Each structure stands twice: as C-alpha cells, then as structure tokens.
Amino acid sequence: MNATVSSGLFASIVITMLLGPLTAAAQDVPQRMDSTLRWYKGNTHTHTLNSDGDSTPDDVVRWYREHRYHFLVLTDHNFLTSVEALQALHGADERFLVIRGEEVSDTFGDQSIHVNGLNVGRVVEPQGGESVVDIVQRNVDAIRKEGGVPHINHPNFRWSITPAELQQIRNNKLFEIFNGHPTVNNAGGGGVPGLEEMWDAILSSGSLMYGIAVDDAHTFKDPGNPNVAGPGRGWIAVRAARLDPDSLMEGLERGEFYASTGVELIDVETTATGMRVEVRPTNYSKYRIEFIGQGGRVLQESLEPAAAYSFRGDEGYVRARILESNGRMAWVQPVVVSSGNLLESSMMLLFGAGTIGGLVQLRRSEQSPKK
Ligand SMILES: [Zn+2]
Ligand SMILES: [Zn+2]
C-alpha cells in the first residue's frame, strides 16, 4: 500500500513540476490536447473481388460508408487494392477515408500465418521462414520496411499461432482479439485458449500488445447469414487529431483506441493515476465493466455504464472490458502499471514527449509488466 501511494504521489509531483515548461511550450507548438482529439470508427480487415471477397472494392467501400464508419482498410490476400479512385469517389474530409492495405498470407504446413499491413506503401510478398515465429517476424519486418503498420490476424484460425509464439514477436503492437469470420475460433476450445485469454497471457509475459477487433469481411451478398464472413461484426474506434492515415496509424500504435463488437463508448480516459470508461448506453441494455490485470484477474467490477479504477501500482497492467446484456462487448487497451513505469513515464514527460497526462507516455513504454 505504501508503494502505491508513493508511486502515485511521485508521478503527481513530477507532472506538477512539469506543468510550467509544458504550458510555456504550448505557445509555440500546436498541442494535441485531449479536447482536440476525436473518435473515428473503422475496420482494418476486409476483402474484395481482388482476392476471395464476393464484391467489388466499390461495393465494399460503399457498405462501410453507408453504415457510418469513418475509415476502412482494404486488405486483400497478397494484393494491394488501389484506393485513390475509391477515395476520390467516397472520401470526404473528416467524414470518410479509404486506406490501402494488404493481408500478407503465408503458410507453415497446414497453418495459416496471416499478417495485415495497414497503410503499406507497396505489395509485400509472403516471406516464408523456418518456424511460425520466424514467418510472423519476417512478414512483420517486411511490412515495416514498406512503411506499413502490421497486425497479426486470427491466431486460432487453423490453430496456427500460440500465445507463446505471439509473445516472441518484436516490432508489432497489434493482434486480433476478435475476428468476425465464422471459422476462426475466437473462443478457443479443446484446451486451446480463446483470443482474450491469449491476450492476458501475452501481456502477463511482459509483451505489450493491443487488441484489435475486425470484420475480416468476405461476403456482402448474403446479409444476415451468420455462417458467412459478413460485415459489421468487429470494429475499432481510434482517438486521433485528424482523419488521415498517419494520425490513425499513430493512434493505433499507441493503443489510443478501443475494440468493439457493438458497444460504443463515450470516452476512455487513462492518466498516470487511473482509468475511466464511459459507455454510450442503449435503451434496453445493461452493462458490466471489468478492470483486468496480470494473469487476467478481475481487479474491479462495476454494474453501471460508467466506471473508474485507481491504479495501485502493482497490477502489472490494467485493461478494461465492457459486457453488454445481449452479448456485445468492448475492450479498452492495456496500460503498463508499475512503480518503475510511473517513474519512466514521468521521465519521458520531463524530456519533452509532448502531451500532459500519463496516457501517451505510459503506452509508449516498452517496459515489461511485473511477473
Ligand atoms: Zn486471414
Ligand atoms: Zn482476411
């Protein structure tokens, strides 16, 4: 308890000490204060006729535009669908954006190793390799080399990637904790963990990864059929300064987003001292908000649509999930919480990392949660 109080106090003291210099800097440099950031809803995994989807890129983009998404990444298998004409037709400033992407689709025996490259500059060929870890890493590296942001897809599809393998991957921040395709085994089974359980295993091992929810939509011509990969099942909302590819990618890689299967949040706030979540409630639903730490342990539960958790300092990491009474969910990204980390985040603040508050600094940290 003493350690908790002192680490929290220390962070507050350091932040207080720094308010002067940061305020002064604000006169010269445009500040990305929270009030200027907006939430943008999008999907980062979608197929068209350019691979195994059933619809033209135009029809696919139209579906998301008409369903009030803000952005869409087209990710055909080993193919970079051109987005310029689509953007000219459907794009609108601060309203809708099409981003190019690719699902780099590799194999290892019977296993399918798929890694999305978001906003990738050129087509990336599957890189192959000697093992699952080697193949994932080579593809992640190849995507980075072309300026893209990697995210590792559906680990339980053909039971391809284990948590022990995922936690060895470097230079990758994102992996799917929900995929809308009906045969990707999100829930696990037969002794294999589900994706959320995998996430806690990875986080508990000291590897900081953010969980993304996607459609992996292939089928637009059979609406309402749960046995095909239709659109609208998994999405994210990214907090960013502008609706442009760079701002969104930056937000994603800092974990400034939540993942959802239908629960919308009004706000998420993470500071050096705690995390607060507020659901946008719907008329007939009830909600449960859980704050989760090391090993997947539930640290605190709330039965109201808004809840706050105060960091103690020994949680390792803290994330939140929201369960809605009809089975829909949302997941708030983890932050590393330990006394040492608060120190590190404060030091980053000291050396001009930018915004006030612990959020960005905590999330930028590569430091491991405590075992
Ligand atoms: Zn795939
Ligand atoms: Zn796919």
Side-chain angles (χ1 to χ4, degrees):
M1 197 62 194
N2 278 343
T4 305
V5 172
S6 62
S7 62
L9 261 180
F10 179 79
S12 316
I13 290 164
V14 174
I15 287 167
T16 308
M17 277 163 48
L18 290 168
L19 282 174
L22 277 171
T23 307
Q27 293 163 1
D28 313 316
V29 185
Q31 292 286 294
R32 292 184 53 225
M33 302 299 287
D34 275 0
S35 59
T36 67
L37 302 179
R38 286 184 53 200
W39 291 102
Y40 299 104
K41 176 180 177 177
N43 175 41
T44 60
H45 189 164
T46 320
H47 297 272
T48 77
L49 278 175
N50 289 336
S51 59
D52 53 355
D54 74 348
S55 296
T56 61
D58 179 53
D59 283 341
V60 170
V61 170
R62 199 176 292 268
W63 191 94
Y64 286 91
R65 177 71 164 114
E66 288 177 350
H67 287 80
R68 303 288 171 186
Y69 284 63
H70 294 105
F71 69 94
L72 174 69
V73 191
L74 293 175
T75 54
D76 280 303
H77 296 286
N78 302 329
F79 188 90
L80 200 55
T81 292
S82 157
V83 299
E84 285 74 15
L86 294 166
Q87 178 61 16
L89 190 60
H90 298 287
D93 189 38
E94 286 299 295
R95 286 177 172 77
F96 191 74
L97 175 71
V98 192
I99 300 173
R100 63 179 179 268
E102 175 192 351
E103 184 172 16
V104 182
S105 306
D106 217 329
T107 55
F108 184 65
D110 290 336
Q111 288 146 289
S112 295
I113 315 292
H114 293 180
V115 184
N116 269 9
L118 311 181
N119 199 30
V120 68
R122 270 195 301 188
V123 72
V124 173
E125 298 299 332
Q127 303 290 300
E130 310 280 302
S131 65
V132 169
V133 172
D134 190 33
I135 293 171
V136 175
Q137 191 65 63
R138 283 171 187 260
N139 285 308
V140 163
D141 294 346
I143 288 164
R144 289 277 185 208
K145 200 171 157 221
E146 298 302 340
V149 168
H151 79 62
I152 299 170
N153 300 345
H154 47 59
N156 275 349
F157 178 50
R158 297 185 178 158
W159 311 104
S160 297
I161 313 177
T162 65
E165 287 162 337
L166 273 176
Q167 69 197 40
Q168 294 175 54
I169 306 301
R170 296 291 166 255
N171 215 11
N172 179 84
K173 282 279 171 237
L174 307 167
F175 89 108
E176 290 177 355
I177 55 160
F178 174 89
N179 178 307
H181 194 290
T183 64
V184 295
N185 309 306
N186 291 320
V192 178
L195 302 189
E196 197 174 353
E197 207 180 326
M198 245 186 222
W199 194 15
D200 284 311
I202 293 163
L203 293 169
S204 300
S205 80
S207 177
L208 181 60
M209 278 200 199
Y210 302 125
I212 206 157
V214 303
D215 279 339
D216 199 357
H218 288 70
T219 306
F220 293 78
K221 298 194 187 307
D222 192 2
N225 182 352
N227 299 313
V228 300
R233 296 174 187 174
W235 46 269
I236 51 172
V238 185
R239 182 161 38 196
R242 272 195 61 76
L243 184 62
D244 63 43
D246 288 345
S247 303
L248 292 173
M249 295 302 123
E250 208 182 301
L252 274 174
E253 296 233 86
R254 278 210 306 258
E256 290 198 60
F257 69 96
Y258 66 88
S260 180
T261 59
V263 176
E264 199 184 323
L265 303 184
I266 293 172
D267 204 12
V268 178
E269 190 182 26
T270 309
T271 65
T273 56
M275 180 183 281
R276 200 182 65 82
V277 176
E278 189 177 355
V279 175
R280 189 181 302 285
T282 57
N283 279 349
Y284 301 103
S285 301
K286 288 190 185 295
Y287 300 88
R288 190 164 88 233
I289 300 174
E290 295 176 341
F291 295 93
I292 293 167
Q294 189 78 7
R297 193 162 60 91
V298 176
L299 303 162
Q300 184 183 303
E301 185 180 274
S302 165
L303 305 179
E304 300 299 324
Y309 176 82
S310 296
F311 299 144
R312 293 189 315 247
D314 63 349
E315 291 94 333
Y317 65 90
V318 175
R319 65 181 184 86
R321 75 167 163 179
I322 298 90
L323 300 107
E324 184 263 355
S325 45
N326 293 293
R328 301 179 184 98
M329 291 179 70
W331 296 269
V332 173
Q333 301 308 317
V335 287
V336 175
V337 178
S338 68
S339 317
N341 197 247
L342 283 173
L343 172 63
E344 183 183 315
S345 68
S346 306
M347 292 311 280
M348 287 185 71
L349 203 60
L350 181 62
F351 292 111
T355 50
I356 296 169
L359 171 66
V360 172
Q361 286 72 28
L362 280 163
R363 285 186 169 153
R364 270 187 189 151
S365 169
E366 296 288 333
Q367 189 169 333
S368 305
K370 279 181 183 166
K371 286 242 171 184

